[in-house]
């Protein structure tokens, strides 16, 4: 039989309101068959879950009914129907679109109370759930005036229900249904219905009456500590408690039939405002519980931090606004989980959520957020060094529902931190200095040279990154031993596929330290980034190879941002906390040897660790305070520890590289012949001018010094590669002392460049939450050694402490930053 299936938009305004808010359901029985006990109809649920309808079979026609406010609505349709058809085939979900004016039920029919309004009590609920920092929970005149309710699982919250008449729990029953996702179903665990009783039950979905005053009812609701994390919608059903109910009859004059209502009617109310439920690091029974208040404040509450780049001798702190509480960020994070079709029942497991976030951040998957690019060319996007925070990236992704350009490891890690903190998972960024990229699982890095000391780039596919930033999330896990609970490392930077997706982890940090590389997920990969050795392969003139083993060249330091800013600590280390001991055993200890033995049993090449030493000691002495554009010297010390003269050929090569270790440009190379007297030292120096390298600097201003020393008398051969970076100038920010909401204030930014060349394609990025959105300002080309001053005014829109951030980039110089903390008063 054909049915017309109109959409909700086809209804009139009044019909839509009833359609989406209040319905009543009854089971209808053909009176002729009632005495035989044959029920020929029942109510069914529409596909969208919004309307329940009545399915009624009569000898000649089939009707669908919905009772609204005491009246029966009928869907018109024609055609004969076999009224003996089995009941299972009579269930069809259709939308009511044309109401017939069938006479109302008699006056004896008593309808349940009608829910007229629900108050989410946003302010007290969010304060007790530590979610009042979300902008969506506040009323802002310039934005959506209706605040949203954000709660954390496992803690009770209170809702006020308003009815059209006085409410009594003795005569009225209240049912609450919570639906997660568009295809919510009881069978999938994404639709939960609870009856409001006298109290709540711990660790379960439950609801209890807290207060009843006339027609207003306050209900306390509790979610379990493993509840689905996401956005749910609330449905309210009200029902009369009437054990002595009598059958009620309704008649249709037009079609000449009589039907009987067999059970109590209830009214259904659909509330349009969602409830957001998050992980709860404040709850002891939650998977992501953190006991330490300082760690929780830093890894959940803090929306500002510093990303550590540079190298282990030159730690550079890049400011970053995570902005996990900004408006639309939570909706964007939940959309990301929808985009990969992550089942709602899996969204209560932090392990699964974190692994999916790691794959979602990069765009190697179809629904990823950020495009990766290490080429140095970003004409159709934003350079990774230009970003100051996550807001602009997420806003663009939310708007276009497609990937944003461009990111590198610290941007991927920062964005993952934003998403995880937003959802309630304690997360921080971690930097591994001298991070190995082992392509073949051998726990070794192979580097190839010719005999003249020149790297063979075409063969050097593996590399040591100057730094690599990944994440740690704090949680317990059911799939690993309890002893491995705590910080779990994961990496959203797309390097190699893991189980078909581009991500790594989460894996226990402790398993990396102990060399338990068989534990899930991707422990072997993260272990290799910290613990590989490097084989140098030198191609002789006769075509044969000579190999030299270099130990302990990865994992020089593992650091994370310090929230404490300890004034007693040295200035250069105030920005970070050293985590190296949590990832690696001390070198040379029995513990380290046992760890390496365990790990190498799982490696594809458990190599032999052996190296012969000569009697000439070679030491590279590099100045770590070189400002971009200034000249410097590359120094090599040779110490002869023998009692005979030693003749050495020293080749020094300076390469401009990307921070991934791959060459961008060969800047300079020089060879020296040196005679070192017995028990004496000699120094070799290569002068590098600013003009030599200024045109060839990479994004992170990273360079590699390649050194080869050959001793003629002993055939000793020394090779090494050392990274360093030149320091970018810092921006000076001048701001008015007194800043007030609604009153403009002046800002001045100063740049003092030491670059001896013109700077082209110049651009400023300015961001200060509550004061100004992320803004790009195009600057004219700058002359050599330029001193620039940028002046502008801003008008803050909300009070509180915030961080004013600015970055500058050009084609020749990137990664120039400045920050200033300000306080805006009412």
């Amino acid at each position: 039989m054909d049915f017309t299936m109109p959409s909700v938009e086809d209804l009139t305004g009044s019909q839509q309101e009833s359609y989406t808010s209040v319905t009543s359901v009854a089971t209808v029985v053909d009176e002729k068959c009632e005495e035989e006990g044959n029920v020929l109809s029942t109510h069914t649920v529409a596909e969208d879950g919004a309307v329940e309808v009545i399915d009624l079979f009569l000898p000649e026609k089939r009707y669908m009914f919905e009772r609204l406010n005491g009246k029966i609505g009928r869907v018109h349709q024609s055609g004969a129907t076999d009224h003996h058809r089995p009941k299972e085939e009579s269930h069809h979900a259709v939308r009511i679109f044309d109401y017939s004016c069938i006479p109302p039920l008699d006056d004896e029919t008593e309808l349940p109370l009608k829910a007229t309004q629900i108050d989410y009590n946003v302010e007290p609920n969010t304060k007790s759930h530590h979610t009042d920092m979300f902008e969506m929970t506040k009323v802002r005149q310039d934005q959506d005036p209706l605040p949203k309710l954000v709660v954390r699982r496992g803690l009770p919250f209170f809702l006020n229900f308003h009815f059209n008449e006085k409410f009594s729990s003795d005569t009225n029953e209240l049912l609450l249904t919570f639906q997660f996702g568009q295809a919510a179903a009881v069978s999938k665990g994404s639709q939960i219905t609870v009856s409001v009783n006298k109290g709540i039950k711990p660790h379960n979905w439950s609801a209890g009456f807290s207060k009843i005053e006339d027609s207003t009812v306050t209900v306390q609701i509790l979610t379990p500590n493993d509840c689905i994390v996401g956005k749910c919608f609330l449905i309210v059903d009200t029902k009369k408690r009437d054990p002595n109910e009598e059958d009620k009859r309704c008649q249709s004059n037009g079609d000449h039939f009589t039907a009987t209502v067999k059970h109590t009617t209830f009214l259904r109310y659909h509330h349009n405002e969602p409830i957001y439920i998050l992980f709860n690091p404040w709850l002891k029974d939650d998977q992501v519980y953190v006991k330490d208040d300082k760690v929780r404040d830093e890894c959940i509450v803090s929306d500002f931090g510093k990303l550590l780049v540079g190298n282990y001798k030159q730690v550079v702190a890049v400011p970053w606004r995570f902005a996990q509480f900004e408006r639309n960020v939570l909706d964007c994070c939940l959309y990301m989980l929808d985009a990969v079709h992550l089942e709602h029942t899996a969204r209560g497991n932090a392990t699964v959520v974190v692994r999916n976030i790691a794959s979602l951040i990069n765009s190697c998957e179809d629904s990823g957020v950020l495009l990766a690019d290490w080429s140095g060319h970003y004409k159709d996007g934003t350079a990774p060094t230009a970003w100051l925070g996550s807001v602009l990236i997420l806003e663009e992704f939310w708007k276009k529902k497609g990937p944003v350009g461009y990111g590198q490891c610290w941007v991927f890690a920062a964005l993952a931190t934003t998403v995880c903190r937003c959802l309630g998972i304690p997360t921080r960024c971690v930097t591994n200095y001298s991070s190995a990229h082992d392509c073949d699982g051998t726990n070794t890095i192979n580097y190839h040279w010719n005999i003249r000391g020149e790297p063979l780039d075409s063969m050097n596919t593996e590399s040591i990154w100057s730094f690599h930033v990944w994440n740690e999330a704090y949680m317990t896990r059911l799939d690993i031993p309890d002893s491995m609970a705590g910080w779990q490392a994961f990496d959203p930077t797309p390097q190699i596929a893991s189980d078909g997706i581009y991500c790594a982890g989460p894996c226990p940090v402790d398993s990396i330290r102990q060399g338990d590389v068989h534990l899930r997920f991707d422990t072997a990969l993260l272990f290799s980034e910290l613990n590989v050795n490097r084989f140098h392969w030198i191609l002789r003139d006769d075509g044969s190879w000579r190999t030299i083993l270099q130990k302990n060249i990865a994992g020089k330091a593992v650091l994370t941002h310090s929230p404490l800013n300890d004034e007693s600590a040295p200035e250069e280390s105030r920005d970070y906390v050293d985590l190296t001991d949590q990832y690696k055993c001390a070198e040379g200890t029995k513990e380290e040897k046992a760890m390496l033995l365990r790990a190498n049993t799982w490696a594809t090449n458990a190599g032999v660790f052996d190296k012969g030493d000569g009697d000439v000691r070679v030491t590279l002495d590099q100045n770590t305070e070189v400002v971009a554009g200034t000249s410097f010297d590359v120094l090599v010390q040779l110490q002869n520890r023998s009692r005979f003269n030693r003749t050495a050929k020293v080749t020094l090569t300076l390469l401009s590289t990307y921070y991934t270790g791959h060459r961008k440009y060969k800047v300079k190379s020089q060879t020296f012949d040196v005679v070192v007297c017995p028990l004496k030292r000699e120094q070799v120096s290569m002068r590098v001018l600013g003009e030599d390298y200024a045109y060839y600097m990479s994004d992170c201003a990273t360079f590699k010094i390649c050194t080869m020393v050959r001793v003629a008398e002993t055939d000793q051969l020394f090779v090494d590669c050392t990274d360093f970076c030149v320091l970018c100038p810092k921006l000076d920010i001048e701001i008015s002392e007194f800043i007030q909401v609604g009153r403009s204030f002046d800002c001045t930014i100063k740049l003092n460049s030491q670059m001896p060349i013109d700077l082209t394609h110049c651009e400023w990025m300015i961001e200060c939450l509550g004061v100004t959105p992320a803004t790009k300002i195009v600057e004219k080309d700058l002359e050599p050694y330029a001193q620039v001053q940028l002046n502008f005014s801003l008008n803050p829109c909300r009070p509180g402490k915030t961080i004013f951030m600015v970055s500058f980039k050009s084609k020749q110089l990137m990664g120039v930053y400045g920050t200033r903390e300000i306080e805006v008063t009412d």
Side-chain angles (χ1 to χ4, degrees):
M1 184 176 296
D2 296 331
F3 290 83
T4 303
M5 300 290 287
S7 64
V8 177
E9 289 74 13
D10 294 327
L11 302 174
T12 64
S14 60
Q15 288 173 329
Q16 287 186 34
E17 181 180 359
S18 299
Y19 177 88
T20 58
S21 61
V22 182
T23 68
S24 63
V25 178
T27 298
V28 182
V29 180
D30 184 351
E31 189 178 52
K32 294 180 180 179
C33 299
E34 183 182 9
E35 58 187 14
E36 301 176 6
N38 297 323
V39 178
L40 299 182
S41 62
T42 185
H43 65 274
T44 60
V45 183
E47 291 177 355
D48 58 6
V51 176
E52 297 197 43
V53 298
I54 300 167
D55 224 356
L56 175 63
F57 281 97
L58 292 176
E60 296 182 355
K61 290 189 177 181
R62 181 182 179 203
Y63 299 87
M64 290 264 182
F65 293 96
E66 181 191 38
R67 198 175 81 193
L68 295 169
N69 299 327
K71 293 186 178 181
I72 292 291
R74 174 167 62 86
V75 176
H76 290 291
Q77 59 191 73
S78 59
T81 300
D82 181 3
H83 69 282
H84 297 297
R85 181 185 301 178
K87 184 173 65 175
E88 290 76 6
E89 297 183 14
S90 69
H91 294 189
H92 293 273
V94 300
R95 290 189 170 102
I96 305 301
F97 69 96
D98 182 16
Y99 294 102
S100 294
C101 296
I102 301 175
L105 301 179
D106 57 61
D107 295 336
E108 296 179 4
T109 303
E110 185 178 5
L111 291 174
L113 296 183
K114 176 182 178 181
T116 59
Q117 183 183 349
I118 301 177
D119 181 4
Y120 275 176
N121 293 322
V122 172
E123 185 174 354
N125 280 328
T126 55
K127 186 174 182 180
S128 63
H129 282 247
H130 308 282
T131 57
D132 53 334
M133 64 283 286
F134 280 90
E135 276 298 304
M136 65 195 308
T137 67
K138 299 176 174 60
V139 177
R140 301 292 186 195
Q141 294 181 355
D142 59 332
Q143 297 175 359
D144 185 357
L146 189 63
K148 311 296 182 184
L149 177 59
V150 183
V151 298
R152 299 192 186 275
R153 65 185 188 180
L155 289 179
F157 58 96
F158 297 85
L159 306 183
N160 292 338
F161 296 84
H162 301 275
F163 297 94
N164 60 333
E165 297 179 17
K166 183 177 180 179
F167 186 94
S168 171
S169 59
D170 294 331
T171 59
N172 294 279
E173 184 177 352
L174 188 59
L175 298 173
L176 306 180
T177 299
F178 300 88
Q179 293 183 333
F180 292 87
Q182 295 182 350
V186 175
S187 59
K188 295 181 179 180
S190 54
Q191 177 171 305
I192 303 96
T193 299
V194 295
S195 176
V196 183
N197 299 306
K198 292 184 178 180
I200 58 175
K201 298 179 181 179
H203 311 297
N204 290 287
W205 277 97
S206 59
F209 292 106
S210 175
K211 192 177 189 180
I212 300 177
E213 289 186 349
D214 196 36
S215 61
T216 300
V217 178
T218 301
V219 176
Q220 183 182 28
I221 300 170
L222 181 65
T223 60
N225 52 24
D226 59 353
C227 171
I228 294 172
V229 168
K231 179 168 60 176
C232 67
F233 285 88
L234 176 61
I235 298 173
V236 182
D237 291 326
T238 53
K239 177 181 176 182
K240 280 291 184 181
R241 300 182 190 272
D242 188 3
N244 300 318
E245 178 189 13
E246 296 180 359
D247 291 348
K248 310 293 190 297
R249 296 176 179 272
C250 61
Q251 296 181 341
S252 171
N253 296 329
D255 292 300
H256 306 289
F257 71 88
T258 303
T260 305
V261 178
K262 294 293 291 183
H263 62 74
T264 304
T265 303
F266 62 89
L267 294 181
R268 168 158 289 185
Y269 176 80
H270 294 256
H271 198 55
N272 294 327
E273 290 299 316
I275 299 173
Y276 297 82
I277 303 178
L278 308 180
F279 290 99
N280 193 350
W282 281 266
L283 183 67
K284 188 175 182 179
D285 294 326
D286 198 291
Q287 183 185 4
V288 299
Y289 171 69
V290 177
K291 184 178 180 180
D292 192 318
D293 291 342
K294 292 181 180 179
V295 173
R296 189 170 55 236
D297 288 344
E298 168 66 11
C299 298
I300 285 289
V301 178
S302 176
D303 67 348
F304 174 80
K306 293 182 179 180
L307 311 176
L308 305 178
V309 297
N311 62 49
Y312 72 99
K313 292 181 180 180
Q314 302 163 288
V315 176
V316 177
V318 175
W320 193 272
R321 175 68 73 178
F322 298 111
Q324 66 268 33
F325 304 123
E326 288 303 294
R327 199 172 295 268
N328 294 330
V329 169
L330 179 53
D331 279 317
C332 184
C333 295
L334 296 177
Y335 167 78
M336 290 165 58
L337 299 181
D338 291 336
V340 291
H341 308 292
L342 180 62
E343 289 290 339
H344 282 80
T345 50
R347 300 187 190 188
N349 187 333
T351 307
V352 177
V353 171
V354 164
R355 185 160 173 79
N356 276 271
I357 289 172
S359 69
L360 283 163
I361 295 300
N362 66 75
S363 65
C364 290
E365 312 302 326
D366 293 338
S367 53
V369 177
L370 199 58
L371 291 164
D373 194 334
W374 285 271
S375 69
H377 305 290
Y378 315 108
K379 289 184 179 180
D380 56 344
T382 300
T385 53
W387 298 114
L388 288 170
S390 302
V391 168
L392 209 59
I393 299 172
L394 291 175
E395 282 182 351
E396 186 174 345
F397 171 74
W398 179 248
K399 182 179 179 180
K400 64 191 289 190
K401 299 297 188 292
V404 179
Y406 290 98
Q408 293 173 4
C409 70
W410 71 93
V411 186
F412 289 115
L415 200 58
T417 299
T418 295
V419 176
C420 288
R421 289 185 184 181
C422 182
L423 296 177
I425 302 173
T427 307
R428 62 189 182 187
C429 295
V430 173
T431 301
N432 176 34
Y433 286 100
S434 297
S435 188
H437 187 68
D438 177 22
C439 298
D440 55 11
T442 61
N443 283 348
T444 59
I445 296 293
N446 296 298
Y447 203 80
H448 302 80
W449 308 69
N450 63 28
I451 196 64
R452 292 175 294 280
E454 300 169 337
L456 301 176
D457 291 333
S458 61
M459 304 182 68
N460 294 330
T461 57
E462 299 176 319
S463 63
I464 303 292
W465 295 20
S466 297
F467 65 90
H468 181 47
V469 186
W470 61 63
N471 296 92
E472 288 180 355
Y474 198 90
M475 69 181 77
T476 58
R477 289 172 56 181
L478 300 177
D479 58 332
I480 58 175
D482 292 341
S483 60
M484 295 293 180
W487 290 112
Q488 310 289 313
F490 69 98
D491 190 355
T493 300
Q495 296 186 73
I496 59 176
S498 167
D499 294 335
I501 59 176
Y502 279 87
C503 71
C507 73
V509 170
D510 204 37
S511 71
I512 300 174
R513 188 179 191 275
Q514 296 181 21
D516 293 326
V517 296
H518 60 286
L519 289 179
R520 302 174 72 189
F521 293 90
D522 308 304
T523 306
L525 173 63
L526 290 164
F527 176 89
S528 71
E529 296 190 46
L530 292 145
N531 294 286
V532 303
N533 297 307
R534 178 159 53 192
F535 277 101
H536 294 279
W537 296 76
I538 298 91
L539 179 62
R540 297 187 178 99
D541 290 335
D542 61 2
S544 63
W545 291 92
R546 180 174 178 179
T547 59
I548 296 177
L549 174 64
Q550 187 178 16
K551 293 184 179 181
N552 302 319
I553 49 88
K556 293 292 187 181
V558 183
L559 309 178
T560 189
H561 171 241
S562 170
L564 303 179
N565 194 18
D566 185 2
E567 296 296 335
S568 63
E571 184 176 357
E572 64 273 10
S573 64
R574 290 177 187 173
D575 286 328
Y576 60 81
V577 175
D578 195 334
L579 304 178
T580 309
D581 290 343
Q582 297 181 25
Y583 277 87
K584 300 185 68 174
C585 303
E587 292 183 6
T589 62
K590 293 182 179 179
E591 190 179 14
E592 184 201 29
K593 292 179 181 179
M595 175 269 294
L596 291 174
L597 180 62
R598 279 194 301 271
N600 280 293
T601 59
W602 295 89
T604 59
N605 180 21
V608 178
F609 303 105
D610 188 19
K611 178 183 177 182
D613 293 323
D615 53 20
V616 176
R617 176 176 293 175
V618 182
T619 305
L620 181 67
D621 185 11
Q622 174 57 43
N623 181 8
T624 59
E625 300 297 326
V626 180
V627 178
T630 61
S631 301
F632 61 91
D633 294 305
V634 177
L635 304 176
V636 174
Q637 299 281 351
L638 304 177
Q639 181 186 5
N640 184 357
R641 296 178 294 177
S642 76
R643 296 185 178 275
F644 304 95
N645 285 345
R646 293 291 183 248
T647 304
K649 184 178 288 293
V650 180
T651 301
L652 298 177
T653 303
L654 178 66
L655 304 176
S656 173
T657 63
Y658 301 102
Y659 80 95
T660 58
H662 294 292
R663 179 203 289 207
K664 178 179 181 181
Y665 188 81
K666 180 179 176 181
V667 176
K668 190 172 184 178
S669 184
Q670 195 169 350
T671 300
F672 306 85
D673 291 313
V674 183
V675 176
V676 188
C677 296
L679 305 178
K680 297 294 183 179
R681 299 173 185 265
E682 292 290 339
Q683 178 176 281
V684 174
S685 175
M686 182 175 71
R687 184 68 171 172
V688 181
L689 303 178
E691 293 84 347
D692 293 335
Y693 68 87
Y695 287 102
Y696 312 115
M697 287 172 54
S698 63
D699 303 17
C700 298
T702 306
F703 294 87
K704 186 189 298 289
I705 299 173
C706 299
T707 308
M708 178 178 284
V709 179
R710 288 175 289 163
V711 180
E713 292 81 3
T714 62
D715 199 30
Q716 177 186 347
L717 185 61
F718 171 89
V719 289
D720 192 15
C721 298
T722 303
D723 297 332
F724 81 100
C725 58
V726 298
L727 303 178
C728 294
K730 294 184 178 180
L731 299 174
D732 183 31
I733 302 174
E734 298 178 359
I735 296 179
S736 307
E737 292 293 331
F738 181 74
I739 304 175
Q740 188 176 13
V741 172
R743 297 182 61 180
S744 62
F745 64 96
D746 296 328
C747 303
T748 300
I749 302 173
K750 296 180 179 179
L751 168 64
N752 184 12
S753 170
Q754 298 296 311
M755 294 289 282
I757 60 175
D758 290 341
L759 301 183
T760 60
H761 301 88
C762 301
E763 187 175 275
W764 302 87
M765 179 82 79
I766 300 169
E767 182 173 323
C768 187
L769 295 184
V771 176
T772 180
T775 304
K776 291 182 181 180
I777 300 176
V778 177
E779 177 68 78
K780 64 181 181 180
D781 292 349
L782 302 180
E783 297 178 349
Y785 307 105
Q787 295 186 7
V788 186
Q789 181 170 304
L790 181 66
N791 300 304
F792 54 91
S793 297
L794 297 173
N795 194 336
C797 60
R798 69 183 191 229
K801 290 184 178 181
T802 186
I803 305 293
F804 185 93
M805 302 188 298
V806 60
S807 71
F808 171 85
K809 80 171 187 68
S810 67
K811 183 179 179 180
Q812 298 77 17
L813 179 64
M814 300 184 184
V816 183
Y817 303 101
T819 62
R820 174 83 178 268
E821 183 176 352
I822 63 174
E823 183 171 3
V824 181
T825 61
D826 286 320

